[in-house]
Amino acid sequence: DVKVTQSSRYLVKRTGEKVFLECVQDMDHENMFWYRQDPGLGLRLIYFSYDVKMKEKGDIPEGYSVSREKKERFSLILESASTNQTSMYLCASSLSSPNQPQHFGDGTRLSIL
Amino acid sequence: GENVEQHPSTLSVQEGDSAVIKCTYSDSASNYFPWYKQELGKRPQLIIDIRSNVGEKKDQRIAVTLNKTAKHFSLHITETQPEDSAVYFCAASKGWTSYDKVIFGPGTSLSVIP
């Protein structure tokens, strides 16, 4: 069974801090994704990566960056956290061929004070 | 870019009744339509998907229908049970390459009343 593990379930940080959210998958998936989930807005794509060191902007990349140094790990970075980045963050992975299901982690609920 | 709308935003049904969730998409090039279920406090999980070369797909109590001409697709759950209570997300993708983004709808919160 695919396992996507996010480093923290809950995280509280302060405005202006640099925040790292980590995601690891164990199924050798080529694709990895970071989403933000807010009530009434569904899942919005922040960034995705289709290979090591490759990244593509999603729909809401402003204020975020990502890093994929190893195939199994995809990190989301908030360079200078702001209160409007308080949200649930979901990581997902999938195989590289088209129309593959995405496998999600449990999510990190991030609060920026 | 692609936009996916989903209705209703909340839905309450009596146990045993059917539930229907409807989605519309804007990009006529979309040809892959997955549905995800997210139980409270848990991760979203794929429950069924449909590709544009078929009009309907069933898996036990759930079915999905697709009308490409009208650009809408629907999830049907029959004989609902309390464990069907969750948020359901529809999504659309061109699905031509692995780089094609999956665009999610805003979600429908389904409550099944025992």
Side-chain angles (χ1 to χ4, degrees), chain A residues 13-42:
Chain A
K13 295 291 183 181
R14 295 210 172 270
T15 303
E17 281 192 73
K18 191 169 185 176
V19 181
F20 293 85
L21 303 184
E22 306 286 345
C23 176
V24 177
Q25 50 94 5
D26 66 356
M27 284 302 294
D28 204 34
H29 284 172
E30 293 82 6
N31 295 347
M32 295 189 75
F33 310 84
W34 275 107
Y35 292 92
R36 173 175 170 161
Q37 182 175 17
D38 298 290
L41 296 178

PDB file of all heavy atoms in Angstrom, chain A residues 13-42:
ATOM      1  N   LYS A  13       3.452  28.413  13.959  1.00  0.00           N
ATOM      2  CA  LYS A  13       4.621  29.258  13.699  1.00  0.00           C
ATOM      3  C   LYS A  13       4.215  30.725  13.808  1.00  0.00           C
ATOM      4  O   LYS A  13       3.023  31.056  13.849  1.00  0.00           O
ATOM      5  CB  LYS A  13       5.172  28.971  12.292  1.00  0.00           C
ATOM      6  CG  LYS A  13       5.719  27.566  12.126  1.00  0.00           C
ATOM      7  CD  LYS A  13       6.988  27.353  12.930  1.00  0.00           C
ATOM      8  CE  LYS A  13       7.555  25.971  12.709  1.00  0.00           C
ATOM      9  NZ  LYS A  13       8.795  25.752  13.513  1.00  0.00           N
ATOM     10  N   ARG A  14       5.209  31.580  13.814  1.00  0.00           N
ATOM     11  CA  ARG A  14       4.957  33.013  13.936  1.00  0.00           C
ATOM     12  C   ARG A  14       5.176  33.716  12.600  1.00  0.00           C
ATOM     13  O   ARG A  14       5.954  33.260  11.753  1.00  0.00           O
ATOM     14  CB  ARG A  14       5.868  33.607  14.998  1.00  0.00           C
ATOM     15  CG  ARG A  14       5.578  33.059  16.390  1.00  0.00           C
ATOM     16  CD  ARG A  14       5.886  34.078  17.487  1.00  0.00           C
ATOM     17  NE  ARG A  14       5.427  33.591  18.787  1.00  0.00           N
ATOM     18  CZ  ARG A  14       4.200  33.842  19.256  1.00  0.00           C
ATOM     19  NH1 ARG A  14       3.347  34.535  18.541  1.00  0.00           N
ATOM     20  NH2 ARG A  14       3.846  33.380  20.435  1.00  0.00           N
ATOM     21  N   THR A  15       4.501  34.816  12.438  1.00  0.00           N
ATOM     22  CA  THR A  15       4.634  35.650  11.238  1.00  0.00           C
ATOM     23  C   THR A  15       6.096  35.978  10.999  1.00  0.00           C
ATOM     24  O   THR A  15       6.824  36.341  11.935  1.00  0.00           O
ATOM     25  CB  THR A  15       3.833  36.948  11.412  1.00  0.00           C
ATOM     26  OG1 THR A  15       2.471  36.626  11.685  1.00  0.00           O
ATOM     27  CG2 THR A  15       3.893  37.795  10.152  1.00  0.00           C
ATOM     28  N   GLY A  16       6.525  35.811   9.728  1.00  0.00           N
ATOM     29  CA  GLY A  16       7.896  36.122   9.355  1.00  0.00           C
ATOM     30  C   GLY A  16       8.857  34.963   9.446  1.00  0.00           C
ATOM     31  O   GLY A  16       9.970  35.041   8.902  1.00  0.00           O
ATOM     32  N   GLU A  17       8.452  33.888  10.117  1.00  0.00           N
ATOM     33  CA  GLU A  17       9.331  32.730  10.213  1.00  0.00           C
ATOM     34  C   GLU A  17       9.437  31.999   8.870  1.00  0.00           C
ATOM     35  O   GLU A  17       8.512  32.049   8.049  1.00  0.00           O
ATOM     36  CB  GLU A  17       8.801  31.741  11.257  1.00  0.00           C
ATOM     37  CG  GLU A  17       9.092  32.102  12.693  1.00  0.00           C
ATOM     38  CD  GLU A  17       8.801  30.935  13.642  1.00  0.00           C
ATOM     39  OE1 GLU A  17       9.577  29.962  13.657  1.00  0.00           O
ATOM     40  OE2 GLU A  17       7.788  31.013  14.357  1.00  0.00           O
ATOM     41  N   LYS A  18      10.544  31.298   8.678  1.00  0.00           N
ATOM     42  CA  LYS A  18      10.695  30.410   7.532  1.00  0.00           C
ATOM     43  C   LYS A  18      10.204  29.032   7.975  1.00  0.00           C
ATOM     44  O   LYS A  18      10.657  28.507   8.992  1.00  0.00           O
ATOM     45  CB  LYS A  18      12.154  30.348   7.087  1.00  0.00           C
ATOM     46  CG  LYS A  18      12.355  29.654   5.746  1.00  0.00           C
ATOM     47  CD  LYS A  18      13.783  29.869   5.241  1.00  0.00           C
ATOM     48  CE  LYS A  18      13.981  29.292   3.846  1.00  0.00           C
ATOM     49  NZ  LYS A  18      15.313  29.565   3.294  1.00  0.00           N
ATOM     50  N   VAL A  19       9.268  28.476   7.218  1.00  0.00           N
ATOM     51  CA  VAL A  19       8.605  27.235   7.624  1.00  0.00           C
ATOM     52  C   VAL A  19       8.868  26.161   6.580  1.00  0.00           C
ATOM     53  O   VAL A  19       8.758  26.404   5.374  1.00  0.00           O
ATOM     54  CB  VAL A  19       7.086  27.448   7.781  1.00  0.00           C
ATOM     55  CG1 VAL A  19       6.411  26.146   8.226  1.00  0.00           C
ATOM     56  CG2 VAL A  19       6.788  28.562   8.778  1.00  0.00           C
ATOM     57  N   PHE A  20       9.199  24.973   7.062  1.00  0.00           N
ATOM     58  CA  PHE A  20       9.443  23.831   6.183  1.00  0.00           C
ATOM     59  C   PHE A  20       8.395  22.748   6.456  1.00  0.00           C
ATOM     60  O   PHE A  20       8.225  22.315   7.598  1.00  0.00           O
ATOM     61  CB  PHE A  20      10.839  23.239   6.432  1.00  0.00           C
ATOM     62  CG  PHE A  20      11.970  24.138   6.042  1.00  0.00           C
ATOM     63  CD1 PHE A  20      12.439  25.106   6.925  1.00  0.00           C
ATOM     64  CD2 PHE A  20      12.572  24.024   4.798  1.00  0.00           C
ATOM     65  CE1 PHE A  20      13.489  25.934   6.573  1.00  0.00           C
ATOM     66  CE2 PHE A  20      13.621  24.852   4.440  1.00  0.00           C
ATOM     67  CZ  PHE A  20      14.083  25.812   5.325  1.00  0.00           C
ATOM     68  N   LEU A  21       7.702  22.307   5.410  1.00  0.00           N
ATOM     69  CA  LEU A  21       6.802  21.153   5.510  1.00  0.00           C
ATOM     70  C   LEU A  21       7.409  20.036   4.667  1.00  0.00           C
ATOM     71  O   LEU A  21       7.727  20.235   3.494  1.00  0.00           O
ATOM     72  CB  LEU A  21       5.400  21.503   5.007  1.00  0.00           C
ATOM     73  CG  LEU A  21       4.682  22.667   5.687  1.00  0.00           C
ATOM     74  CD1 LEU A  21       3.281  22.825   5.147  1.00  0.00           C
ATOM     75  CD2 LEU A  21       4.648  22.486   7.192  1.00  0.00           C
ATOM     76  N   GLU A  22       7.555  18.866   5.302  1.00  0.00           N
ATOM     77  CA  GLU A  22       8.218  17.769   4.629  1.00  0.00           C
ATOM     78  C   GLU A  22       7.239  16.661   4.266  1.00  0.00           C
ATOM     79  O   GLU A  22       6.285  16.393   5.002  1.00  0.00           O
ATOM     80  CB  GLU A  22       9.309  17.186   5.542  1.00  0.00           C
ATOM     81  CG  GLU A  22      10.310  18.186   6.070  1.00  0.00           C
ATOM     82  CD  GLU A  22      11.296  18.647   5.015  1.00  0.00           C
ATOM     83  OE1 GLU A  22      11.393  17.997   3.957  1.00  0.00           O
ATOM     84  OE2 GLU A  22      11.963  19.669   5.240  1.00  0.00           O
ATOM     85  N   CYS A  23       7.501  16.018   3.142  1.00  0.00           N
ATOM     86  CA  CYS A  23       6.651  14.921   2.670  1.00  0.00           C
ATOM     87  C   CYS A  23       7.541  13.827   2.088  1.00  0.00           C
ATOM     88  O   CYS A  23       8.440  14.120   1.297  1.00  0.00           O
ATOM     89  CB  CYS A  23       5.686  15.442   1.607  1.00  0.00           C
ATOM     90  SG  CYS A  23       4.656  14.165   0.859  1.00  0.00           S
ATOM     91  N   VAL A  24       7.268  12.588   2.491  1.00  0.00           N
ATOM     92  CA  VAL A  24       8.037  11.445   2.001  1.00  0.00           C
ATOM     93  C   VAL A  24       7.068  10.373   1.512  1.00  0.00           C
ATOM     94  O   VAL A  24       6.083  10.074   2.186  1.00  0.00           O
ATOM     95  CB  VAL A  24       8.937  10.872   3.117  1.00  0.00           C
ATOM     96  CG1 VAL A  24       9.676   9.633   2.613  1.00  0.00           C
ATOM     97  CG2 VAL A  24       9.923  11.917   3.601  1.00  0.00           C
ATOM     98  N   GLN A  25       7.359   9.806   0.333  1.00  0.00           N
ATOM     99  CA  GLN A  25       6.547   8.687  -0.181  1.00  0.00           C
ATOM    100  C   GLN A  25       7.450   7.485  -0.415  1.00  0.00           C
ATOM    101  O   GLN A  25       8.625   7.623  -0.730  1.00  0.00           O
ATOM    102  CB  GLN A  25       5.793   9.087  -1.462  1.00  0.00           C
ATOM    103  CG  GLN A  25       6.636   9.730  -2.548  1.00  0.00           C
ATOM    104  CD  GLN A  25       7.172   8.795  -3.592  1.00  0.00           C
ATOM    105  OE1 GLN A  25       6.861   7.599  -3.603  1.00  0.00           O
ATOM    106  NE2 GLN A  25       7.967   9.323  -4.508  1.00  0.00           N
ATOM    107  N   ASP A  26       6.854   6.294  -0.264  1.00  0.00           N
ATOM    108  CA  ASP A  26       7.661   5.079  -0.282  1.00  0.00           C
ATOM    109  C   ASP A  26       7.372   4.183  -1.482  1.00  0.00           C
ATOM    110  O   ASP A  26       7.732   2.996  -1.468  1.00  0.00           O
ATOM    111  CB  ASP A  26       7.461   4.293   1.024  1.00  0.00           C
ATOM    112  CG  ASP A  26       6.036   3.745   1.168  1.00  0.00           C
ATOM    113  OD1 ASP A  26       5.177   4.036   0.307  1.00  0.00           O
ATOM    114  OD2 ASP A  26       5.782   3.050   2.163  1.00  0.00           O
ATOM    115  N   MET A  27       6.716   4.733  -2.526  1.00  0.00           N
ATOM    116  CA  MET A  27       6.325   3.885  -3.651  1.00  0.00           C
ATOM    117  C   MET A  27       7.054   4.247  -4.934  1.00  0.00           C
ATOM    118  O   MET A  27       6.617   3.874  -6.020  1.00  0.00           O
ATOM    119  CB  MET A  27       4.811   3.955  -3.859  1.00  0.00           C
ATOM    120  CG  MET A  27       4.046   3.164  -2.838  1.00  0.00           C
ATOM    121  SD  MET A  27       4.503   1.403  -2.808  1.00  0.00           S
ATOM    122  CE  MET A  27       3.915   0.880  -4.411  1.00  0.00           C
ATOM    123  N   ASP A  28       8.149   4.981  -4.831  1.00  0.00           N
ATOM    124  CA  ASP A  28       8.961   5.289  -6.007  1.00  0.00           C
ATOM    125  C   ASP A  28       8.157   6.064  -7.071  1.00  0.00           C
ATOM    126  O   ASP A  28       8.390   5.914  -8.279  1.00  0.00           O
ATOM    127  CB  ASP A  28       9.525   3.993  -6.619  1.00  0.00           C
ATOM    128  CG  ASP A  28      10.783   4.234  -7.428  1.00  0.00           C
ATOM    129  OD1 ASP A  28      11.564   5.131  -7.054  1.00  0.00           O
ATOM    130  OD2 ASP A  28      10.977   3.545  -8.461  1.00  0.00           O
ATOM    131  N   HIS A  29       7.196   6.880  -6.618  1.00  0.00           N
ATOM    132  CA  HIS A  29       6.404   7.678  -7.545  1.00  0.00           C
ATOM    133  C   HIS A  29       7.226   8.831  -8.101  1.00  0.00           C
ATOM    134  O   HIS A  29       7.981   9.480  -7.376  1.00  0.00           O
ATOM    135  CB  HIS A  29       5.175   8.242  -6.833  1.00  0.00           C
ATOM    136  CG  HIS A  29       4.107   7.217  -6.618  1.00  0.00           C
ATOM    137  ND1 HIS A  29       2.984   7.482  -5.850  1.00  0.00           N
ATOM    138  CD2 HIS A  29       3.952   5.960  -7.078  1.00  0.00           C
ATOM    139  CE1 HIS A  29       2.197   6.415  -5.853  1.00  0.00           C
ATOM    140  NE2 HIS A  29       2.778   5.474  -6.593  1.00  0.00           N
ATOM    141  N   GLU A  30       7.029   9.079  -9.414  1.00  0.00           N
ATOM    142  CA  GLU A  30       7.762  10.166 -10.038  1.00  0.00           C
ATOM    143  C   GLU A  30       7.155  11.527  -9.662  1.00  0.00           C
ATOM    144  O   GLU A  30       7.865  12.508  -9.499  1.00  0.00           O
ATOM    145  CB  GLU A  30       7.740  10.015 -11.560  1.00  0.00           C
ATOM    146  CG  GLU A  30       8.512   8.800 -12.084  1.00  0.00           C
ATOM    147  CD  GLU A  30       7.726   7.505 -12.028  1.00  0.00           C
ATOM    148  OE1 GLU A  30       6.516   7.523 -11.694  1.00  0.00           O
ATOM    149  OE2 GLU A  30       8.316   6.444 -12.304  1.00  0.00           O
ATOM    150  N   ASN A  31       5.821  11.591  -9.596  1.00  0.00           N
ATOM    151  CA  ASN A  31       5.134  12.865  -9.378  1.00  0.00           C
ATOM    152  C   ASN A  31       4.844  13.097  -7.909  1.00  0.00           C
ATOM    153  O   ASN A  31       4.405  12.194  -7.199  1.00  0.00           O
ATOM    154  CB  ASN A  31       3.801  12.885 -10.134  1.00  0.00           C
ATOM    155  CG  ASN A  31       3.972  12.831 -11.638  1.00  0.00           C
ATOM    156  OD1 ASN A  31       5.070  13.007 -12.155  1.00  0.00           O
ATOM    157  ND2 ASN A  31       2.886  12.597 -12.331  1.00  0.00           N
ATOM    158  N   MET A  32       5.063  14.323  -7.471  1.00  0.00           N
ATOM    159  CA  MET A  32       4.667  14.717  -6.120  1.00  0.00           C
ATOM    160  C   MET A  32       4.043  16.108  -6.177  1.00  0.00           C
ATOM    161  O   MET A  32       4.369  16.915  -7.046  1.00  0.00           O
ATOM    162  CB  MET A  32       5.859  14.689  -5.157  1.00  0.00           C
ATOM    163  CG  MET A  32       6.413  13.277  -4.955  1.00  0.00           C
ATOM    164  SD  MET A  32       7.636  13.136  -3.651  1.00  0.00           S
ATOM    165  CE  MET A  32       6.600  13.219  -2.177  1.00  0.00           C
ATOM    166  N   PHE A  33       3.111  16.349  -5.256  1.00  0.00           N
ATOM    167  CA  PHE A  33       2.277  17.558  -5.296  1.00  0.00           C
ATOM    168  C   PHE A  33       2.131  18.143  -3.893  1.00  0.00           C
ATOM    169  O   PHE A  33       2.108  17.420  -2.902  1.00  0.00           O
ATOM    170  CB  PHE A  33       0.860  17.212  -5.795  1.00  0.00           C
ATOM    171  CG  PHE A  33       0.812  16.410  -7.058  1.00  0.00           C
ATOM    172  CD1 PHE A  33       0.929  15.026  -7.019  1.00  0.00           C
ATOM    173  CD2 PHE A  33       0.634  17.032  -8.278  1.00  0.00           C
ATOM    174  CE1 PHE A  33       0.878  14.270  -8.183  1.00  0.00           C
ATOM    175  CE2 PHE A  33       0.579  16.282  -9.445  1.00  0.00           C
ATOM    176  CZ  PHE A  33       0.702  14.900  -9.405  1.00  0.00           C
ATOM    177  N   TRP A  34       1.983  19.462  -3.839  1.00  0.00           N
ATOM    178  CA  TRP A  34       1.563  20.134  -2.615  1.00  0.00           C
ATOM    179  C   TRP A  34       0.281  20.904  -2.900  1.00  0.00           C
ATOM    180  O   TRP A  34       0.205  21.690  -3.854  1.00  0.00           O
ATOM    181  CB  TRP A  34       2.624  21.111  -2.111  1.00  0.00           C
ATOM    182  CG  TRP A  34       3.671  20.466  -1.259  1.00  0.00           C
ATOM    183  CD1 TRP A  34       4.965  20.190  -1.583  1.00  0.00           C
ATOM    184  CD2 TRP A  34       3.512  20.019   0.094  1.00  0.00           C
ATOM    185  NE1 TRP A  34       5.602  19.593  -0.530  1.00  0.00           N
ATOM    186  CE2 TRP A  34       4.739  19.477   0.510  1.00  0.00           C
ATOM    187  CE3 TRP A  34       2.446  20.039   0.995  1.00  0.00           C
ATOM    188  CZ2 TRP A  34       4.945  18.946   1.780  1.00  0.00           C
ATOM    189  CZ3 TRP A  34       2.640  19.520   2.265  1.00  0.00           C
ATOM    190  CH2 TRP A  34       3.876  18.981   2.642  1.00  0.00           C
ATOM    191  N   TYR A  35      -0.730  20.652  -2.047  1.00  0.00           N
ATOM    192  CA  TYR A  35      -2.010  21.339  -2.132  1.00  0.00           C
ATOM    193  C   TYR A  35      -2.272  22.092  -0.840  1.00  0.00           C
ATOM    194  O   TYR A  35      -1.802  21.724   0.226  1.00  0.00           O
ATOM    195  CB  TYR A  35      -3.167  20.343  -2.317  1.00  0.00           C
ATOM    196  CG  TYR A  35      -3.194  19.633  -3.641  1.00  0.00           C
ATOM    197  CD1 TYR A  35      -2.571  18.396  -3.807  1.00  0.00           C
ATOM    198  CD2 TYR A  35      -3.882  20.176  -4.719  1.00  0.00           C
ATOM    199  CE1 TYR A  35      -2.617  17.736  -5.019  1.00  0.00           C
ATOM    200  CE2 TYR A  35      -3.939  19.515  -5.945  1.00  0.00           C
ATOM    201  CZ  TYR A  35      -3.304  18.294  -6.078  1.00  0.00           C
ATOM    202  OH  TYR A  35      -3.359  17.644  -7.281  1.00  0.00           O
ATOM    203  N   ARG A  36      -3.131  23.079  -0.983  1.00  0.00           N
ATOM    204  CA  ARG A  36      -3.646  23.787   0.179  1.00  0.00           C
ATOM    205  C   ARG A  36      -5.155  23.568   0.188  1.00  0.00           C
ATOM    206  O   ARG A  36      -5.812  23.680  -0.869  1.00  0.00           O
ATOM    207  CB  ARG A  36      -3.302  25.270   0.042  1.00  0.00           C
ATOM    208  CG  ARG A  36      -3.911  26.142   1.084  1.00  0.00           C
ATOM    209  CD  ARG A  36      -3.435  27.573   0.966  1.00  0.00           C
ATOM    210  NE  ARG A  36      -4.250  28.400   1.844  1.00  0.00           N
ATOM    211  CZ  ARG A  36      -3.925  29.584   2.281  1.00  0.00           C
ATOM    212  NH1 ARG A  36      -2.777  30.143   1.883  1.00  0.00           N
ATOM    213  NH2 ARG A  36      -4.717  30.258   3.083  1.00  0.00           N
ATOM    214  N   GLN A  37      -5.705  23.209   1.376  1.00  0.00           N
ATOM    215  CA  GLN A  37      -7.128  22.939   1.493  1.00  0.00           C
ATOM    216  C   GLN A  37      -7.775  23.938   2.427  1.00  0.00           C
ATOM    217  O   GLN A  37      -7.424  24.018   3.613  1.00  0.00           O
ATOM    218  CB  GLN A  37      -7.374  21.516   2.008  1.00  0.00           C
ATOM    219  CG  GLN A  37      -8.857  21.169   2.095  1.00  0.00           C
ATOM    220  CD  GLN A  37      -9.104  19.713   2.490  1.00  0.00           C
ATOM    221  OE1 GLN A  37      -8.218  19.028   2.992  1.00  0.00           O
ATOM    222  NE2 GLN A  37     -10.324  19.248   2.262  1.00  0.00           N
ATOM    223  N   ASP A  38      -8.707  24.704   1.904  1.00  0.00           N
ATOM    224  CA  ASP A  38      -9.461  25.676   2.692  1.00  0.00           C
ATOM    225  C   ASP A  38     -10.952  25.431   2.488  1.00  0.00           C
ATOM    226  O   ASP A  38     -11.372  25.073   1.375  1.00  0.00           O
ATOM    227  CB  ASP A  38      -9.104  27.108   2.268  1.00  0.00           C
ATOM    228  CG  ASP A  38      -7.637  27.432   2.497  1.00  0.00           C
ATOM    229  OD1 ASP A  38      -7.248  27.545   3.671  1.00  0.00           O
ATOM    230  OD2 ASP A  38      -6.893  27.545   1.503  1.00  0.00           O
ATOM    231  N   PRO A  39     -11.766  25.634   3.533  1.00  0.00           N
ATOM    232  CA  PRO A  39     -13.213  25.368   3.424  1.00  0.00           C
ATOM    233  C   PRO A  39     -13.834  26.124   2.260  1.00  0.00           C
ATOM    234  O   PRO A  39     -13.623  27.325   2.085  1.00  0.00           O
ATOM    235  CB  PRO A  39     -13.747  25.873   4.763  1.00  0.00           C
ATOM    236  CG  PRO A  39     -12.594  25.779   5.701  1.00  0.00           C
ATOM    237  CD  PRO A  39     -11.375  26.087   4.877  1.00  0.00           C
ATOM    238  N   GLY A  40     -14.610  25.402   1.455  1.00  0.00           N
ATOM    239  CA  GLY A  40     -15.316  26.017   0.335  1.00  0.00           C
ATOM    240  C   GLY A  40     -14.463  26.266  -0.897  1.00  0.00           C
ATOM    241  O   GLY A  40     -14.985  26.687  -1.935  1.00  0.00           O
ATOM    242  N   LEU A  41     -13.162  26.000  -0.806  1.00  0.00           N
ATOM    243  CA  LEU A  41     -12.263  26.240  -1.947  1.00  0.00           C
ATOM    244  C   LEU A  41     -11.671  24.952  -2.494  1.00  0.00           C
ATOM    245  O   LEU A  41     -10.958  24.976  -3.500  1.00  0.00           O
ATOM    246  CB  LEU A  41     -11.142  27.202  -1.539  1.00  0.00           C
ATOM    247  CG  LEU A  41     -11.582  28.613  -1.144  1.00  0.00           C
ATOM    248  CD1 LEU A  41     -10.379  29.436  -0.706  1.00  0.00           C
ATOM    249  CD2 LEU A  41     -12.324  29.301  -2.279  1.00  0.00           C
ATOM    250  N   GLY A  42     -11.932  23.846  -1.857  1.00  0.00           N
ATOM    251  CA  GLY A  42     -11.403  22.583  -2.342  1.00  0.00           C
ATOM    252  C   GLY A  42      -9.903  22.466  -2.154  1.00  0.00           C
ATOM    253  O   GLY A  42      -9.324  23.044  -1.221  1.00  0.00           O
TER     254      GLY A  42
END
